[in-house]
């Protein structure tokens, strides 16, 4: 019986674990930490954005089978979020893709 409980705990841990493919951390307009394989052009562009408009926060990139998603912390302003999305090198699919008007 304990094995079933242990197996359930392991499955829940694996399903709900936060697993981004890239993480960029900014503090007062400087890139202080990166995790994962960050493309050099994207990294340089993010440094320039942070230098021009100083902010603090974290950007996480998640990849599923069909979608690459950017996740921003709440401390990043909306205009900066849009600028980072514009320089992101991968295609970001939306839920409206493939639908015709």
């Amino acid at each position: 019986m304990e094995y079933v409980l242990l197996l359930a705990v392991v499955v829940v841990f694996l399903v709900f674990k936060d697993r981004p493919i890239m993480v960029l951390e900014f503090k007062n307009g400087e890139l202080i930490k990166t995790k994962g394989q960050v493309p050099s052009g994207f990294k340089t562009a993010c440094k320039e954005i942070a230098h021009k408009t100083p902010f603090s926060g974290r950007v996480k990139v998640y990849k599923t089978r069909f979608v690459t998603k950017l996740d921003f912390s709440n401390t990043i302003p909306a205009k900066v979020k849009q600028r980072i999305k514009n320089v992101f090198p991968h295609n970001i699919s939306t839920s409206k893709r493939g639908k015709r008007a």
Side-chain angles (χ1 to χ4, degrees):
M1 192 66 173
E2 293 110 18
Y3 295 111
V4 174
L5 183 62
L6 182 64
L7 181 64
V9 169
V10 169
V11 168
V12 168
F13 177 74
L14 290 175
V15 169
F16 293 110
K17 184 180 174 196
D18 189 29
R19 294 178 281 185
I21 59 171
M22 282 188 267
V23 178
L24 301 160
E25 281 191 43
F26 297 92
K27 188 170 187 179
N28 298 326
E30 291 189 26
L31 181 64
I32 58 169
K33 184 178 176 183
T34 61
K35 183 179 178 183
Q37 295 180 347
V38 182
S40 61
F42 179 60
K43 188 175 181 180
T44 306
C46 287
K47 284 181 182 179
E48 290 177 11
I49 292 169
H51 181 68
K52 290 179 182 177
T53 319
F55 64 93
S56 297
R58 180 179 294 179
V59 179
K60 293 182 182 179
V61 181
Y62 295 96
K63 176 125 175 129
T64 62
R65 187 170 174 186
F66 301 109
V67 179
T68 304
K69 179 184 171 193
L70 291 169
D71 185 38
F72 299 95
S73 62
N74 293 335
T75 58
I76 300 176
K79 289 184 177 183
V80 173
K81 288 179 187 179
Q82 187 59 51
R83 291 185 67 195
I84 292 173
K85 285 179 184 179
N86 290 343
V87 298
F88 189 64
H90 304 293
N91 293 333
I92 301 175
S93 301
T94 62
S95 61
K96 296 181 181 178
R97 185 176 180 179
K99 296 181 180 178
R100 295 184 182 219

